[in-house]
Amino acid sequence: MKFKLLQDAIIASYRTAAIVVLLTVITGVASYLSLLVFYAVSDSWAAPIRLSPSHEKVLAIQPQVATIEASLLNQRTALMKAVDEQDLLKRSTGDVSDTVNQLATAINADAAAMNVTSAALGDVIKEKEAVVREADKAVAAARDLLLSSEKELAAGLITQDVAAARRLTAQSAITAAADLKASLAQLKYQQSQLSRGASASKGSGKSVQGVQLVQQQKELDTTLVASNAQSLLLEETINALRSTIVEQERLLAVAKQSPFFRARSEIVHVAFVPYSNLKSMQVGDKVYDCLLQVVICSEVGKVTRIYDAEDYARHPLFKTDLKGQLVELELSDKTASFSQVIFIGGRPLFL
Amino acid sequence: MEIVYLIFALPITVMVLNFGLTLFLRACAKSTFIKKDYEYTPTVSVLLPCFNEGPHVYETILSIMRSEYPMEKVEIVAVDDCSSDDSFQWLEKAQQDFPNAVRAFRNPVNSGKHKSLAFAASNSTGEVLICIDSDCIFDKMAIREMVACFSEPDIGAVGGRVGITNVRENIMTQCQTLVYYYAFHIMKMSQNWARNVTCISGCLFAIKREYFDKIEVEVTQRNWFGIGVRDGEDRYMTHLLLLKGLKTYINIDAQCWTSAPNNLRQLFMQQLRWRRSGLRDLFWTIKNFRQNVKVMSPVTIINYIFPGALTVCWPFMYIYAGMTAWTTTHLLAMLPVYVGIYFLIGLAFNMYVSYHNPEQKISPFTVSVLGAWFIVDSFFTTLLALCTFDVGNWGTRGNPK
């Protein structure tokens, strides 16, 4: 009897357990299949994401922003330096240009003066040559006098003193003639120097000094050209830096608008919305969170912003990879951010 | 690697290895096949339990009467288990038409196949009892082939091969044709080699009378916590014989034909019944594990435990896969491959049967559905079977009178 009662109890327990198991399985399978169908047709679901300062994407964006800021700072500094360098270069280029002009003017003036002096010297040389010719004649006469003095001295026609005085006079005449010739030669040399100097300033290369002057002039010209080239380069560098800075500032502004950046100091509630569901969404749409995935839903907030950047996430049921965008949420019930799925725009099954 | 991959890969690997081993035994091991003695012609009693079979039972009896066996040594003992249709009238007609061979009885109350068999056996005289189903048509060589296998010592029971008559009726029958063919030609070969077939189909089950008598009481009194068990008597009888140290064998040359379920309800109820009997046998084996280990070889123990354990695990694997979204992520993505494999299996099957059994040819495209059925069957049917051990009726033959 007891065994029979035990058997009946076992049977009863088994049947109860079997019913519970079967009902659970059937309910589970039916729910799963229903969810599959629901997610296949629903276009209002979104996956909430709670961005905290320790979120990996929040942490990842900070060094990126810092890098942009550092790069921007470097470029601004480089721009300032380039601008200063350009100013300095402009001033030195101006000085060099003035010097070149002055040198050219001086060279021309020198050449003109040399020409005049050379012409004047030419006249002097002619006069001097005439004098030299006269001197030569005097020298010849002096030499004759010397000869005759010797003869006369020898003949005793003149005294030693007279002979000596005659010799002195003749010698003075000869020396003076020689001096005249020397000075004439010097004058001719000076004249040739001046004419060579004047022609060297035109580039003929016949005077060392002239060549040196021309060399200096060329060096100054080269320095001027180099300065101009450097100035152009600096100009391009400055333009490039300016456009880069503008771009970096734009990038920085965009990065700072990202929710991941804003979440570095506070929790930001966003939701991933796949592209297929984004079409019907707009700022201001109400957000709903449901108790059993899709039923018993309540309003928990609204959409405050739709971000442009593309993002990726996994489908909450199918676990397939999806592309979409993030939307920012203003949640009245913060616990909704812990749900797997929320709905935007309306209750999914109107429940 | 995700554990789910291992969970699904392990049974598939085992199945593939088992397929390879059994194919090898089928093709290369001569010891897989018994030496038959066609000179051995004992008296045979064909036990025919019948329930709501209608005129088909008469066709069954006709097919037996056409057997190439000394018919003076054959008797047919038919027992109607309180059919609500005209099955018993047909049995009486057969008795009238073949008074020397056919005897018809009717149970006083609906008792189940196992008790009908016992009743038929108690009214039979043959040395060899052949238990059959009333919806089968017999090949003329079936009796001779089965009896010839008793030449080997210690053979307790011999089974035959079941073919499908309505092969091309619809997708379900085509799929079942492949499954039946695979089961008899391939799956049971390793068991044949060990002479330890774990389940001889009740469609065609030959047993020596002396051995039937030894197990009859256990078969008729079989119950589950006091609730009489009516299904899986063929599996239970086979197991009892093995526990007695006897051998069992399937002779694929002993052929009978049956109609496969052609609608989902019938198919599901049939599978549920078979699954329930398989799981009962599993838990019974675990319960009597020591006794099984004492008598049977390790290979046989593995054949008893492993497939059943896998069967129990499959639903939980599916639940786990569903909860982790592995199903939607991976299984759905691999569905074309999965379906393709079944298509290839169908092609291979057709190539083989074209030479051996062309009447069993199917469309490989429809076999692809088998993969989907396997998933549904291994989940729902197993769970339902586990939860309905207290159900006794078959569910496929209607209600008794």
Side-chain angles (χ1 to χ4, degrees):
Chain A
M1 187 62 181
K2 279 186 182 173
F3 182 71
K4 182 77 173 71
L5 284 172
L6 178 65
Q7 272 190 336
D8 291 341
I10 291 171
I11 298 285
S13 307
Y14 170 80
R15 283 175 175 158
T16 307
I19 289 169
V20 168
V21 164
L22 287 174
L23 279 175
T24 307
V25 167
I26 290 167
T27 308
V29 170
S31 305
Y32 188 75
L33 290 174
S34 304
L35 268 180
L36 282 178
V37 170
F38 172 79
Y39 277 110
V41 301
S42 168
D43 63 352
S44 63
W45 69 268
I49 304 170
R50 190 169 162 274
L51 297 177
S52 64
S54 58
H55 192 280
E56 57 176 0
K57 285 189 178 178
V58 172
L59 292 173
I61 201 173
Q62 289 175 63
Q64 290 174 11
V65 169
T67 304
I68 297 172
E69 282 177 336
S71 171
L72 190 59
L73 185 64
N74 287 341
Q75 276 156 3
R76 280 180 179 149
T77 307
L79 178 66
M80 279 169 53
K81 276 173 69 175
V83 168
D84 289 343
E85 209 175 303
Q86 193 184 44
D87 286 339
L88 197 65
L89 192 64
K90 275 183 183 165
R91 275 187 270 126
S92 70
T93 304
D95 291 343
V96 167
S97 181
D98 290 342
T99 306
V100 164
N101 291 334
Q102 285 170 9
L103 186 64
T105 306
I107 289 172
N108 288 335
D110 278 354
M114 282 180 197
N115 283 329
V116 167
T117 310
S118 175
L121 269 176
D123 294 339
V124 169
I125 287 167
K126 281 179 186 167
E127 288 176 10
K128 202 93 176 187
E129 281 173 342
V131 169
V132 165
R133 280 194 293 274
E134 291 297 321
D136 283 341
K137 287 179 184 170
V139 165
R143 287 190 196 283
D144 290 339
L145 183 64
L146 270 175
L147 277 172
S148 67
S149 294
E150 293 298 320
K151 284 177 183 175
E152 287 176 6
L153 184 63
L157 295 172
I158 56 172
T159 63
Q160 291 274 0
D161 291 338
V162 172
R166 284 184 182 177
R167 281 197 205 109
L168 195 63
T169 305
Q171 203 59 45
S172 297
I174 291 167
T175 301
D179 285 344
L180 276 174
K181 284 181 181 173
S183 70
L184 178 66
Q186 197 171 7
L187 280 174
K188 281 183 177 175
Y189 174 70
Q190 283 180 358
Q191 191 198 35
S192 84
Q193 250 193 331
L194 284 171
S195 69
R196 273 188 287 118
S199 66
S201 67
K202 305 280 189 236
S204 66
K206 290 182 180 172
S207 157
V208 171
Q209 191 184 10
V211 167
Q212 282 175 345
L213 280 173
V214 167
Q215 176 70 21
Q216 275 181 11
Q217 193 180 31
K218 284 183 179 175
E219 280 174 3
L220 284 173
D221 283 339
T222 304
T223 304
L224 192 64
V225 166
S227 296
N228 285 334
Q230 195 175 357
S231 179
L232 279 172
L233 191 64
L234 273 174
E235 187 68 31
E236 281 179 21
T237 304
I238 286 166
N239 289 337
L241 280 171
R242 282 195 175 127
S243 59
T244 304
I245 285 167
V246 165
E247 181 60 25
Q248 296 264 11
E249 283 170 345
R250 188 192 65 77
L251 269 174
L252 192 62
V254 167
K256 285 186 174 177
Q257 283 176 15
S258 164
F260 300 113
F261 185 76
R262 289 184 36 235
R264 75 194 193 291
S265 55
E266 59 176 352
I267 290 177
V268 174
H269 299 289
V270 296
F272 171 83
V273 180
Y275 281 132
S276 54
N277 296 356
L278 206 60
K279 294 185 278 275
S280 52
M281 265 174 219
Q282 46 196 353
V283 173
D285 280 352
K286 292 179 183 171
V287 176
Y288 296 86
D289 186 23
C290 303
L291 204 58
L292 295 170
Q293 284 259 354
V294 296
V295 293
I296 313 176
C297 305
S298 56
E299 188 181 331
V300 294
K302 63 178 180 181
V303 175
T304 54
R305 186 173 174 175
I306 299 175
Y307 292 98
D308 293 330
E310 185 173 273
D311 211 321
Y312 305 91
R314 301 196 90 188
H315 196 287
L317 190 67
F318 300 131
K319 303 297 182 205
T320 51
D321 292 325
L322 294 172
K323 293 202 296 184
Q325 289 171 223
L326 294 180
V327 299
E328 189 166 334
L329 308 174
E330 187 185 294
L331 294 177
S332 53
D333 179 6
K334 302 280 189 266
T335 58
S337 63
F338 294 106
S339 298
Q340 200 181 24
V341 164
I342 55 173
F343 296 89
I344 298 176
R347 291 182 171 85
L349 296 173
F350 306 105
L351 298 171
Chain B
M1 184 187 274
E2 288 181 45
I3 194 163
V4 181
Y5 283 112
L6 286 173
I7 289 172
F8 280 97
L10 184 62
I12 291 170
T13 307
V14 167
M15 283 156 63
V16 169
L17 288 173
N18 184 53
F19 174 76
L21 173 66
T22 50
L23 200 62
F24 169 76
L25 290 171
R26 170 88 166 81
C28 306
K30 284 185 183 169
S31 56
T32 304
F33 299 101
I34 211 167
K35 268 189 182 160
K36 299 174 214 172
D37 179 11
Y38 293 107
E39 301 303 318
Y40 178 58
T41 53
T43 53
V44 170
S45 293
V46 178
L47 309 181
L48 177 55
C50 171
F51 182 73
N52 285 349
E53 208 55 60
H56 197 281
V57 68
Y58 188 79
E59 298 295 326
T60 302
I61 293 171
L62 282 181
S63 69
I64 298 168
M65 295 309 295
R66 285 192 289 264
S67 295
E68 281 190 13
Y69 193 83
M71 290 311 292
E72 66 278 7
K73 291 186 176 182
V74 175
E75 65 170 354
I76 301 170
V77 182
V79 177
D80 176 60
D81 196 16
C82 297
S83 299
S84 56
D85 64 359
D86 58 352
S87 297
F88 185 61
Q89 281 76 39
W90 284 102
L91 291 181
E92 284 179 322
K93 181 181 183 322
Q95 185 175 253
Q96 278 173 13
D97 293 346
F98 307 102
N100 296 331
V102 179
R103 279 184 290 143
F105 298 89
R106 189 186 177 100
N107 284 334
V109 293
N110 181 257
S111 309
K113 184 180 174 185
H114 59 312
K115 288 190 176 171
S116 302
L117 279 172
F119 181 66
S122 66
N123 285 282
S124 65
T125 57
E127 294 163 71
V128 170
L129 306 176
I130 299 180
C131 309
I132 65 171
D133 279 356
S134 52
D135 60 348
C136 290
I137 301 295
F138 284 78
D139 183 75
K140 57 187 178 184
M141 295 298 292
I143 297 178
R144 186 177 282 279
E145 283 288 343
M146 289 174 72
V147 165
C149 295
F150 283 105
S151 59
E152 199 168 290
D154 296 333
I155 289 285
V158 176
R161 175 165 62 97
V162 183
I164 304 296
T165 50
N166 55 340
V167 174
R168 289 250 177 184
E169 187 173 343
N170 57 34
I171 291 175
M172 281 180 283
T173 58
Q174 291 195 51
C175 291
Q176 288 173 85
T177 302
L178 187 147
V179 172
Y180 272 61
Y181 204 88
Y182 168 76
F184 286 102
H185 278 270
I186 306 289
M187 203 171 78
K188 295 204 187 265
M189 286 300 116
S190 62
Q191 298 171 20
N192 252 11
W193 176 78
R195 299 291 187 267
N196 273 190
V197 176
T198 55
C199 176
I200 291 176
S201 178
C203 297
L204 205 50
F205 190 119
I207 180 172
K208 281 191 172 174
R209 173 180 290 282
E210 62 205 85
Y211 301 140
F212 184 85
D213 291 341
K214 282 183 184 175
I215 64 174
E216 184 191 347
V217 172
E218 284 177 273
V219 172
T220 52
Q221 292 183 353
R222 187 177 175 211
N223 68 89
W224 186 78
F225 290 104
I227 298 176
V229 175
R230 295 187 174 201
D231 52 45
E233 79 293 331
D234 49 1
R235 186 182 290 273
Y236 189 61
M237 282 166 62
T238 314
H239 201 158
L240 286 172
L241 290 170
L242 289 172
L243 278 176
K244 296 218 181 296
L246 297 166
K247 298 177 188 173
T248 53
Y249 181 79
I250 296 268
N251 182 359
I252 57 174
D253 293 324
Q255 174 99 57
C256 75
W257 307 91
T258 190
S259 294
N262 57 8
N263 60 71
L264 270 176
R265 186 189 171 277
Q266 270 206 332
L267 177 63
F268 185 74
M269 295 309 290
Q270 180 202 60
Q271 296 299 313
L272 178 63
R273 192 174 72 244
W274 290 359
R275 189 65 43 79
R276 198 184 295 134
S277 77
L279 290 173
R280 270 196 227 279
D281 198 52
L282 168 69
F283 295 126
W284 188 68
T285 306
I286 294 169
K287 186 187 162 204
N288 299 291
F289 192 71
R290 273 192 188 170
Q291 191 185 359
N292 279 271
V293 166
K294 266 188 200 170
V295 177
M296 289 188 267
S297 70
V299 172
T300 310
I301 301 291
I302 289 170
N303 270 328
Y304 266 118
I305 302 281
F306 208 72
L310 272 180
T311 305
V312 173
C313 288
W314 275 114
F316 300 100
M317 285 156 56
Y318 285 129
I319 291 171
Y320 179 77
M323 285 170 65
T324 56
W326 188 87
T327 312
T328 46
T329 310
H330 298 283
L331 188 60
L332 291 178
M334 288 172 58
L335 206 57
V337 174
Y338 184 66
V339 168
I341 288 172
Y342 278 93
F343 174 77
L344 290 173
I345 290 171
L347 273 179
F349 171 80
N350 267 1
M351 276 171 60
Y352 182 83
V353 299
S354 296
Y355 292 105
H356 299 277
N357 295 93
E359 76 285 351
Q360 302 285 276
K361 272 185 88 169
I362 57 172
S363 165
F365 293 101
T366 56
V367 173
S368 308
V369 173
L370 199 56
W373 170 254
F374 175 75
I375 293 171
V376 171
D377 178 60
S378 57
F379 181 71
F380 288 107
T381 311
T382 304
L383 276 177
L384 199 56
L386 284 168
C387 295
T388 53
F389 276 169
D390 59 332
V391 171
N393 61 34
W394 280 31
T396 50
R397 303 289 180 89
N399 296 316
K401 207 171 188 176

